[in-house]
Amino acid sequence: MQSSPLEQALNPFPFYRRMRESRPLFYRPEDETWQVFRYAEAEQVLNNSALFSSVRNRERGQERPLQNSILNMDPPQHRQFRSLVTQAFTPRAVAQLANRITSIVTHLLDEVTGSGTMDIIDHLAYPLPVIVIAELLGIPREDRALFKTWSDAVVNGVDGRGQNRPQPAMSDYFLQVIEERHKEPQDDLMSALLNAQVDGHHLSRQELLGFCILLLVAGNETTTNLIGNALLCLDEQPDSMEQLYAAPDLIPGAVEEVLRYRSPVQLTGRIALADTVLGNQHIQAGQRVVANIGSANRDEAQFPDPDRFDIRRSPNHHLAFGHGIHFCLGAPLARLETKIALTLLLERFQDIRRVPQVPLEPGESILMHGVKHLPVTFRQR
Ligand code: HEM
């Protein structure tokens, strides 16, 4: 039976299953693109950067500001750039943010606590990552509102028709912060990025600016969706919610299962650099290959009983943060923010229930899986 585009966006999983069973590698001549639905081939595509390139948009003639970002680089350029930014973006640096994230979440929950109702997206999942990135970059508190408007504009524009030119005002602002940190380094990511060097190479001002914009695009809506999807999964599986109340140390495993079960990023693309064979199909150089992460993460060949949401699932080698050299740089941060958000929600509120009268609406982007709003009711503990 055909489902509407809305239903399909909210629940693409039956479609993925049919494709894994009937056409696990599916070619569309209109856009010269292979759609890959199984885990094994998706993993191969992501793992082989020599054969499947991330330099994706160039031959399409699209001028996108993120075209030159680390996400769209191949080795050896990718290695050099990535080592530069990882010097500043280490798991240790991220772990040091735990206290700040806790106080941001506490503040966000304080705002709604008396009302017995909140929108998980508007009041928590959406503001949290924006505030965290702003703090990481060292954006002064008084400029936070301005920063949020810009980051919204960048994120909303990114799936439009290539019109996501960073607003000149934002670029000027960032360049100004960069200059200030250059003159007077502080204890923030921007200063660390300015300081980082590999093979005697520092990031140029333009590269640094591009990276700041990438952080906004790559880190915000994704994390918003992860937190929203977590609440959605727990609302659908009240048993799991109860287990987390009883044993909060299960929360990190539950976050991994949300990443697998409702992957915030559903797909990512590559371009074949040479003729090759993938899963019995002949791929030609120049053809596009899309790894459907959301489908791979429900593949029965990799995950027993894949449509079961199981917060104790182990092993759980999902592809939600990608795989190989482009593995998500922000994974430790996204995990930490989501863990703290869930921990405090469950610590402070009980009987958290979605308001069923408000129909779920999928987000705009076809790359992502998440909802626009998630109103819930709760009682204070
Ligand atoms: C790369 C997912 C949060 C920064 C990626 C990739 C995926 C992904 C799938 C690989 C794309 C590819 O191979 O084509 C996610 C998800 C997130 C999340 C599901 C949240 C739940 C974040 C955050 C940040 C971030 C919070 C930073 C603040 C990046 C960067 C890359 C990346 C810089 C590029 C790495 C490279 O090309 O080497 N992410 N991401 N992400 N992510 Fe994330």
Side-chain angles (χ1 to χ4, degrees):
M1 217 176 49
Q2 286 292 326
S3 57
S4 73
L6 198 105
E7 285 162 350
Q8 167 72 17
L10 288 171
N11 183 15
F13 307 106
F15 164 74
Y16 291 154
R17 174 183 284 274
R18 287 198 299 277
M19 294 309 281
R20 283 193 307 273
E21 285 166 0
S22 61
R23 283 180 288 186
L25 262 85
F26 174 57
Y27 185 67
R28 289 203 348 165
E30 306 91 280
D31 46 13
E32 296 175 48
T33 300
W34 288 93
Q35 295 286 341
V36 174
F37 289 98
R38 287 197 302 224
Y39 185 99
E41 289 91 11
E43 190 188 29
Q44 281 177 49
V45 169
L46 298 180
N47 215 14
N48 193 341
S49 58
L51 203 49
F52 299 105
S53 165
S54 287
V55 183
R56 343 176 201 222
N57 297 322
R58 287 186 191 163
E59 78 289 302
R60 309 231 130 199
Q62 289 169 349
E63 263 294 320
R64 296 184 178 192
L66 288 180
Q67 186 170 298
N68 297 320
S69 86
I70 179 175
L71 253 180
N72 281 17
M73 285 177 193
D74 285 340
Q77 194 192 14
H78 176 268
R79 185 200 63 83
Q80 192 185 46
F81 202 96
R82 175 136 178 158
S83 352
L84 271 169
V85 293
T86 40
Q87 284 175 30
F89 218 86
T90 58
R92 222 177 110 242
V94 168
Q96 285 167 355
L97 293 171
N99 288 343
R100 271 308 296 149
I101 297 173
T102 302
S103 69
I104 297 165
V105 174
T106 301
H107 172 75
L108 292 170
L109 296 184
D110 284 346
E111 301 273 297
V112 297
T113 193
S115 69
T117 164
M118 71 182 286
D119 184 335
I120 294 291
I121 306 296
D122 288 354
H123 297 123
L124 177 64
Y126 182 76
L128 176 61
V130 180
I131 298 174
V132 172
I133 295 277
E135 291 214 351
L136 255 176
L137 289 171
I139 305 296
R141 202 166 288 243
E142 59 272 21
D143 294 340
R144 196 67 57 68
L146 201 60
F147 178 81
K148 191 160 168 295
T149 324
W150 289 332
S151 92
D152 291 352
V154 172
V155 172
N156 293 336
V158 85
D159 291 305
R161 283 153 292 280
Q163 294 173 355
N164 60 330
R165 277 166 215 291
Q167 306 189 341
M170 180 174 76
S171 301
D172 288 350
Y173 178 86
F174 272 134
L175 288 169
Q176 194 188 323
V177 178
I178 291 169
E179 276 326 307
E180 282 166 16
R181 293 305 183 279
H182 181 64
K183 286 197 201 106
E184 223 173 298
Q186 312 256 326
D187 187 18
D188 58 29
L189 180 67
M190 197 81 95
S191 308
L193 286 168
L194 271 164
N195 212 7
Q197 56 171 313
V198 165
D199 309 334
H201 175 83
H202 280 280
L203 289 175
S204 72
R205 300 291 189 270
Q206 282 304 316
E207 286 170 335
L208 198 47
L209 175 66
F211 188 64
C212 293
I213 296 167
L214 174 63
L215 290 184
L216 292 182
V217 177
N220 284 346
E221 195 178 350
T222 47
T223 310
T224 299
N225 284 341
L226 177 56
I227 296 172
N229 291 353
L231 267 295
L232 205 54
C233 289
L234 295 175
D235 184 71
E236 287 167 345
Q237 337 277 337
D239 283 4
S240 302
M241 180 94 94
E242 285 315 312
Q243 287 180 44
L244 296 186
Y245 272 115
D249 56 328
L250 294 175
I251 288 176
V255 173
E256 295 310 303
E257 184 64 346
V258 176
L259 281 158
R260 182 192 73 84
Y261 191 83
R262 287 187 178 276
S263 309
V265 174
Q266 288 281 298
L267 54 93
T268 183
R270 298 288 189 265
I271 292 178
L273 291 177
D275 293 0
T276 185
V277 174
L278 183 70
N280 292 336
Q281 298 286 351
H282 288 271
I283 314 260
Q284 285 168 22
Q287 291 176 336
R288 295 160 72 83
V289 182
V290 170
N292 283 280
I293 291 173
S295 173
N297 284 341
R298 295 283 192 117
D299 188 340
E300 34 293 288
Q302 175 70 17
F303 302 100
D305 204 358
D307 294 328
R308 184 162 162 256
F309 179 77
D310 176 4
I311 59 173
R312 295 171 195 264
R313 186 177 289 276
S314 174
N316 190 354
H317 299 300
H318 60 71
L319 301 177
F321 287 121
H323 185 70
I325 63 165
H326 290 278
F327 183 84
C328 178
L329 202 60
L333 181 59
R335 285 175 164 138
L336 185 64
E337 287 179 36
T338 308
K339 179 183 121 180
I340 293 175
L342 288 183
T343 305
L344 291 187
L345 263 177
L346 300 191
E347 236 173 66
R348 296 181 53 170
F349 302 159
Q350 62 186 34
D351 298 331
I352 304 171
R353 303 247 158 73
R354 174 164 97 81
V355 179
Q357 292 81 359
V358 180
L360 293 176
E361 220 187 312
E364 304 285 340
S365 164
I366 57 150
L367 303 179
M368 306 262 188
H369 177 71
V371 290
K372 277 191 185 157
H373 295 286
L374 191 55
V376 297
T377 54
F378 58 83
R379 285 194 300 127
Q380 258 173 274
R381 266 152 79 91

